Short mmCIF file of all heavy atoms in Angstrom, two decimals:
data_model
loop_
_atom_site.label_atom_id
_atom_site.label_comp_id
_atom_site.label_asym_id
_atom_site.label_seq_id
_atom_site.Cartn_x
_atom_site.Cartn_y
_atom_site.Cartn_z
N GLU V 1 0.83 -1.20 0.00
CA GLU V 1 0.00 0.00 0.00
C GLU V 1 0.86 1.25 0.00
O GLU V 1 1.85 1.35 0.72
CB GLU V 1 -0.91 -0.01 1.24
CG GLU V 1 -1.86 1.16 1.30
CD GLU V 1 -2.72 1.14 2.56
OE1 GLU V 1 -2.60 0.16 3.34
OE2 GLU V 1 -3.49 2.10 2.76
N LEU V 2 0.46 2.20 -0.83
CA LEU V 2 1.18 3.47 -0.90
C LEU V 2 0.76 4.37 0.25
O LEU V 2 -0.42 4.43 0.63
CB LEU V 2 0.90 4.16 -2.23
CG LEU V 2 1.48 3.50 -3.49
CD1 LEU V 2 1.02 4.24 -4.74
CD2 LEU V 2 3.00 3.48 -3.43
N GLY V 3 1.73 5.09 0.79
CA GLY V 3 1.45 6.03 1.86
C GLY V 3 1.24 7.44 1.32
O GLY V 3 1.12 7.66 0.10
N ALA V 4 1.23 8.40 2.20
CA ALA V 4 1.03 9.80 1.81
C ALA V 4 2.29 10.34 1.15
O ALA V 4 3.40 9.85 1.39
CB ALA V 4 0.70 10.63 3.04
N PRO V 5 2.14 11.34 0.28
CA PRO V 5 3.32 11.98 -0.32
C PRO V 5 4.22 12.58 0.76
O PRO V 5 3.78 12.86 1.88
CB PRO V 5 2.72 13.08 -1.21
CG PRO V 5 1.32 12.63 -1.47
CD PRO V 5 0.89 11.89 -0.23
N TYR V 6 5.48 12.78 0.41
CA TYR V 6 6.46 13.27 1.39
C TYR V 6 6.03 14.60 2.01
O TYR V 6 6.23 14.83 3.20
CB TYR V 6 7.82 13.43 0.72
CG TYR V 6 8.38 12.15 0.16
CD1 TYR V 6 8.41 11.93 -1.21
CD2 TYR V 6 8.86 11.15 1.00
CE1 TYR V 6 8.92 10.75 -1.74
CE2 TYR V 6 9.36 9.97 0.49
CZ TYR V 6 9.38 9.78 -0.89
OH TYR V 6 9.87 8.61 -1.42
N ALA V 7 5.44 15.47 1.19
CA ALA V 7 5.07 16.80 1.68
C ALA V 7 3.98 16.74 2.74
O ALA V 7 3.78 17.71 3.48
CB ALA V 7 4.61 17.67 0.51
N GLN V 8 3.27 15.61 2.83
CA GLN V 8 2.17 15.49 3.79
C GLN V 8 2.55 14.69 5.05
O GLN V 8 1.69 14.39 5.87
CB GLN V 8 0.96 14.83 3.11
CG GLN V 8 0.40 15.62 1.95
CD GLN V 8 -0.75 14.92 1.26
OE1 GLN V 8 -1.35 13.99 1.81
NE2 GLN V 8 -1.10 15.36 0.05
N LEU V 9 3.82 14.35 5.19
CA LEU V 9 4.25 13.54 6.33
C LEU V 9 4.65 14.38 7.53
O LEU V 9 4.97 13.82 8.59
CB LEU V 9 5.42 12.64 5.92
CG LEU V 9 5.13 11.60 4.82
CD1 LEU V 9 6.39 10.78 4.51
CD2 LEU V 9 3.99 10.68 5.25
N GLY V 10 4.66 15.68 7.38
CA GLY V 10 5.03 16.56 8.49
C GLY V 10 6.49 16.46 8.87
O GLY V 10 6.84 16.65 10.04
N LEU V 11 7.35 16.18 7.90
CA LEU V 11 8.78 16.03 8.18
C LEU V 11 9.42 17.40 8.42
O LEU V 11 8.93 18.42 7.93
CB LEU V 11 9.47 15.34 7.00
CG LEU V 11 8.94 13.95 6.63
CD1 LEU V 11 9.63 13.43 5.37
CD2 LEU V 11 9.14 12.98 7.78
N PRO V 12 10.52 17.45 9.15
CA PRO V 12 11.20 18.74 9.39
C PRO V 12 11.63 19.37 8.07
O PRO V 12 12.01 18.68 7.12
CB PRO V 12 12.42 18.36 10.24
CG PRO V 12 12.10 17.02 10.81
CD PRO V 12 11.21 16.33 9.83
N ASP V 13 11.57 20.69 8.01
CA ASP V 13 12.04 21.41 6.82
C ASP V 13 13.55 21.21 6.69
O ASP V 13 14.28 21.22 7.69
CB ASP V 13 11.73 22.91 6.95
CG ASP V 13 10.24 23.19 6.87
OD1 ASP V 13 9.53 22.38 6.25
OD2 ASP V 13 9.79 24.20 7.45
N PRO V 14 14.04 21.02 5.46
CA PRO V 14 13.33 21.03 4.18
C PRO V 14 13.08 19.64 3.62
O PRO V 14 13.02 19.48 2.40
CB PRO V 14 14.31 21.80 3.30
CG PRO V 14 15.66 21.29 3.78
CD PRO V 14 15.51 21.03 5.26
N LEU V 15 12.95 18.60 4.47
CA LEU V 15 12.93 17.23 3.97
C LEU V 15 11.78 16.95 3.02
O LEU V 15 11.98 16.36 1.95
CB LEU V 15 12.88 16.26 5.15
CG LEU V 15 14.09 16.21 6.07
CD1 LEU V 15 13.99 15.04 7.03
CD2 LEU V 15 15.37 16.11 5.25
N GLY V 16 10.56 17.33 3.41
CA GLY V 16 9.42 17.05 2.56
C GLY V 16 9.57 17.65 1.19
O GLY V 16 9.33 17.00 0.16
N GLU V 17 10.01 18.91 1.15
CA GLU V 17 10.18 19.61 -0.12
C GLU V 17 11.28 18.97 -0.97
O GLU V 17 11.08 18.72 -2.17
CB GLU V 17 10.52 21.08 0.14
CG GLU V 17 10.88 21.87 -1.11
CD GLU V 17 11.48 23.22 -0.77
OE1 GLU V 17 11.44 23.62 0.42
OE2 GLU V 17 12.00 23.87 -1.69
N VAL V 18 12.42 18.67 -0.36
CA VAL V 18 13.55 18.14 -1.11
C VAL V 18 13.26 16.72 -1.61
O VAL V 18 13.57 16.37 -2.75
CB VAL V 18 14.83 18.16 -0.26
CG1 VAL V 18 15.97 17.47 -0.99
CG2 VAL V 18 15.21 19.59 0.08
N LEU V 19 12.66 15.87 -0.76
CA LEU V 19 12.33 14.52 -1.19
C LEU V 19 11.31 14.53 -2.33
O LEU V 19 11.37 13.70 -3.24
CB LEU V 19 11.79 13.70 -0.01
CG LEU V 19 12.82 13.30 1.05
CD1 LEU V 19 12.13 12.64 2.24
CD2 LEU V 19 13.87 12.37 0.47
N THR V 20 10.39 15.49 -2.29
CA THR V 20 9.42 15.63 -3.38
C THR V 20 10.12 16.00 -4.68
O THR V 20 9.81 15.44 -5.75
CB THR V 20 8.37 16.70 -3.04
OG1 THR V 20 7.68 16.31 -1.84
CG2 THR V 20 7.36 16.86 -4.17
N VAL V 21 11.09 16.89 -4.61
CA VAL V 21 11.87 17.27 -5.80
C VAL V 21 12.63 16.06 -6.34
O VAL V 21 12.62 15.78 -7.54
CB VAL V 21 12.83 18.42 -5.48
CG1 VAL V 21 13.79 18.66 -6.65
CG2 VAL V 21 12.05 19.69 -5.17
N MET V 22 13.28 15.32 -5.44
CA MET V 22 14.05 14.14 -5.87
C MET V 22 13.17 13.09 -6.52
O MET V 22 13.59 12.40 -7.46
CB MET V 22 14.76 13.52 -4.66
CG MET V 22 15.88 14.33 -4.08
SD MET V 22 16.61 13.45 -2.68
CE MET V 22 17.75 14.69 -2.08
N SER V 23 11.95 12.95 -6.04
CA SER V 23 11.07 11.91 -6.57
C SER V 23 10.68 12.18 -8.02
O SER V 23 10.24 11.26 -8.71
CB SER V 23 9.80 11.82 -5.70
OG SER V 23 9.00 12.98 -5.84
N GLY V 24 10.84 13.41 -8.48
CA GLY V 24 10.51 13.74 -9.86
C GLY V 24 11.67 13.64 -10.83
O GLY V 24 11.50 13.87 -12.02
N TRP V 25 12.85 13.31 -10.32
CA TRP V 25 14.02 13.22 -11.19
C TRP V 25 13.92 12.03 -12.13
O TRP V 25 13.48 10.94 -11.75
CB TRP V 25 15.30 13.09 -10.36
CG TRP V 25 15.70 14.36 -9.67
CD1 TRP V 25 15.20 15.60 -9.88
CD2 TRP V 25 16.70 14.49 -8.66
NE1 TRP V 25 15.81 16.52 -9.05
CE2 TRP V 25 16.74 15.86 -8.30
CE3 TRP V 25 17.56 13.61 -8.02
CZ2 TRP V 25 17.62 16.36 -7.34
CZ3 TRP V 25 18.43 14.09 -7.06
CH2 TRP V 25 18.46 15.45 -6.72
N GLN V 26 14.31 12.26 -13.37
CA GLN V 26 14.40 11.19 -14.37
C GLN V 26 15.76 11.24 -15.04
O GLN V 26 16.15 12.29 -15.53
CB GLN V 26 13.29 11.33 -15.42
CG GLN V 26 11.89 11.11 -14.87
CD GLN V 26 11.68 9.72 -14.33
OE1 GLN V 26 12.28 8.75 -14.82
NE2 GLN V 26 10.84 9.59 -13.30
N PRO V 27 16.51 10.14 -15.07
CA PRO V 27 16.17 8.85 -14.50
C PRO V 27 16.14 8.89 -12.97
O PRO V 27 16.81 9.70 -12.35
CB PRO V 27 17.28 7.94 -15.00
CG PRO V 27 18.44 8.85 -15.26
CD PRO V 27 17.84 10.13 -15.74
N SER V 28 15.35 7.99 -12.40
CA SER V 28 15.12 7.99 -10.96
C SER V 28 16.37 7.53 -10.19
O SER V 28 17.16 6.73 -10.69
CB SER V 28 13.95 7.07 -10.63
OG SER V 28 13.78 6.94 -9.23
N ILE V 29 16.51 8.04 -8.97
CA ILE V 29 17.58 7.58 -8.09
C ILE V 29 17.03 6.65 -7.02
O ILE V 29 17.72 6.29 -6.07
CB ILE V 29 18.34 8.75 -7.43
CG1 ILE V 29 17.40 9.58 -6.56
CG2 ILE V 29 19.03 9.60 -8.47
CD1 ILE V 29 18.12 10.63 -5.74
N GLY V 30 15.76 6.26 -7.16
CA GLY V 30 15.15 5.34 -6.20
C GLY V 30 14.28 6.02 -5.16
O GLY V 30 13.78 5.36 -4.25
N VAL V 31 14.08 7.34 -5.29
CA VAL V 31 13.15 8.06 -4.43
C VAL V 31 11.89 8.28 -5.26
O VAL V 31 11.87 9.10 -6.18
CB VAL V 31 13.73 9.41 -3.96
CG1 VAL V 31 12.71 10.15 -3.08
CG2 VAL V 31 15.01 9.18 -3.17
N TYR V 32 10.82 7.54 -4.93
CA TYR V 32 9.61 7.55 -5.76
C TYR V 32 8.60 8.56 -5.23
O TYR V 32 8.65 8.96 -4.06
CB TYR V 32 9.03 6.14 -5.80
CG TYR V 32 10.00 5.14 -6.39
CD1 TYR V 32 10.68 4.24 -5.57
CD2 TYR V 32 10.28 5.14 -7.75
CE1 TYR V 32 11.60 3.33 -6.11
CE2 TYR V 32 11.20 4.24 -8.30
CZ TYR V 32 11.84 3.35 -7.46
OH TYR V 32 12.75 2.48 -8.00
N PRO V 33 7.65 8.99 -6.09
CA PRO V 33 6.73 10.06 -5.70
C PRO V 33 5.98 9.81 -4.40
O PRO V 33 5.75 10.72 -3.62
CB PRO V 33 5.77 10.14 -6.90
CG PRO V 33 6.58 9.66 -8.06
CD PRO V 33 7.48 8.60 -7.50
N ARG V 34 5.59 8.54 -4.18
CA ARG V 34 4.89 8.22 -2.93
C ARG V 34 5.53 6.98 -2.30
O ARG V 34 5.66 5.95 -2.97
CB ARG V 34 3.40 7.97 -3.18
CG ARG V 34 2.62 9.21 -3.54
CD ARG V 34 1.16 8.87 -3.79
NE ARG V 34 0.51 8.30 -2.60
CZ ARG V 34 -0.75 7.83 -2.61
NH1 ARG V 34 -1.46 7.88 -3.72
NH2 ARG V 34 -1.27 7.33 -1.50
N PRO V 35 5.95 7.07 -1.07
CA PRO V 35 6.54 5.89 -0.42
C PRO V 35 5.46 4.89 -0.04
O PRO V 35 4.27 5.23 0.05
CB PRO V 35 7.20 6.49 0.83
CG PRO V 35 6.35 7.68 1.15
CD PRO V 35 5.90 8.23 -0.17
N TYR V 36 5.87 3.64 0.18
CA TYR V 36 4.94 2.67 0.74
C TYR V 36 4.60 3.08 2.18
O TYR V 36 5.32 3.88 2.80
CB TYR V 36 5.55 1.28 0.75
CG TYR V 36 5.71 0.66 -0.63
CD1 TYR V 36 6.91 0.08 -1.01
CD2 TYR V 36 4.65 0.65 -1.54
CE1 TYR V 36 7.07 -0.50 -2.27
CE2 TYR V 36 4.80 0.09 -2.80
CZ TYR V 36 6.01 -0.48 -3.16
OH TYR V 36 6.16 -1.04 -4.40
N VAL V 37 3.52 2.51 2.69
CA VAL V 37 3.08 2.87 4.04
C VAL V 37 4.18 2.63 5.07
O VAL V 37 4.44 3.47 5.94
CB VAL V 37 1.81 2.08 4.42
CG1 VAL V 37 1.50 2.22 5.91
CG2 VAL V 37 0.61 2.57 3.61
N HIS V 38 4.86 1.47 4.98
CA HIS V 38 5.90 1.19 5.98
C HIS V 38 7.10 2.11 5.82
O HIS V 38 7.77 2.43 6.80
CB HIS V 38 6.33 -0.28 5.90
CG HIS V 38 6.84 -0.73 4.58
ND1 HIS V 38 6.00 -1.16 3.57
CD2 HIS V 38 8.09 -0.84 4.09
CE1 HIS V 38 6.72 -1.51 2.52
NE2 HIS V 38 7.99 -1.31 2.81
N GLN V 39 7.37 2.59 4.59
CA GLN V 39 8.45 3.56 4.39
C GLN V 39 8.06 4.92 4.97
O GLN V 39 8.88 5.59 5.60
CB GLN V 39 8.77 3.68 2.90
CG GLN V 39 9.34 2.41 2.29
CD GLN V 39 9.45 2.50 0.79
OE1 GLN V 39 8.79 3.33 0.14
NE2 GLN V 39 10.26 1.64 0.20
N ALA V 40 6.81 5.32 4.74
CA ALA V 40 6.32 6.58 5.31
C ALA V 40 6.31 6.52 6.84
O ALA V 40 6.69 7.48 7.51
CB ALA V 40 4.92 6.89 4.77
N ASP V 41 5.88 5.36 7.38
CA ASP V 41 5.87 5.20 8.84
C ASP V 41 7.29 5.31 9.41
O ASP V 41 7.50 5.88 10.49
CB ASP V 41 5.27 3.85 9.22
CG ASP V 41 3.76 3.80 9.00
OD1 ASP V 41 3.16 4.88 8.83
OD2 ASP V 41 3.21 2.68 8.98
N ALA V 42 8.26 4.74 8.67
CA ALA V 42 9.65 4.81 9.13
C ALA V 42 10.14 6.25 9.17
O ALA V 42 10.79 6.67 10.14
CB ALA V 42 10.54 3.96 8.21
N LEU V 43 9.83 7.03 8.14
CA LEU V 43 10.25 8.43 8.11
C LEU V 43 9.60 9.23 9.25
O LEU V 43 10.27 10.01 9.93
CB LEU V 43 9.89 9.05 6.77
CG LEU V 43 10.76 8.65 5.57
CD1 LEU V 43 10.12 9.10 4.26
CD2 LEU V 43 12.16 9.22 5.70
N GLU V 44 8.30 9.01 9.46
CA GLU V 44 7.60 9.75 10.52
C GLU V 44 8.11 9.34 11.90
O GLU V 44 8.32 10.20 12.77
CB GLU V 44 6.10 9.49 10.41
CG GLU V 44 5.45 10.13 9.19
CD GLU V 44 3.97 9.84 9.11
OE1 GLU V 44 3.58 8.66 9.25
OE2 GLU V 44 3.18 10.80 8.91
N SER V 45 8.31 8.05 12.11
CA SER V 45 8.79 7.59 13.42
C SER V 45 10.18 8.09 13.71
O SER V 45 10.50 8.47 14.85
CB SER V 45 8.76 6.05 13.46
OG SER V 45 7.45 5.56 13.34
#
C-alpha cells in the first residue's frame, strides 16, 4: 500500500520539499513520488 506523499508527512524542513523534488528526477535515483506505508511510517517515526 502506498502512503502519503512526502510533503504530507510533516517532516522537518526542508525534507518534505527536497524529497518531493528528488522523486521527480528522471532517471530515478530510487526516491519515488509516494513511499509505501511502511516507508512513510519509518520516516515519521
Side-chain angles (χ1 to χ4, degrees):
E1 183 181 357
L2 292 175
Y6 299 107
Q8 298 178 16
L9 297 180
L11 301 176
D13 291 334
L15 294 190
E17 173 191 351
V18 174
L19 289 174
T20 300
V21 171
M22 290 180 186
S23 68
W25 287 349
Q26 293 298 329
S28 174
I29 62 172
V31 179
Y32 300 104
R34 289 179 61 185
Y36 291 131
V37 168
H38 57 276
Q39 295 171 340
D41 288 345
L43 286 168
E44 290 179 311
S45 297

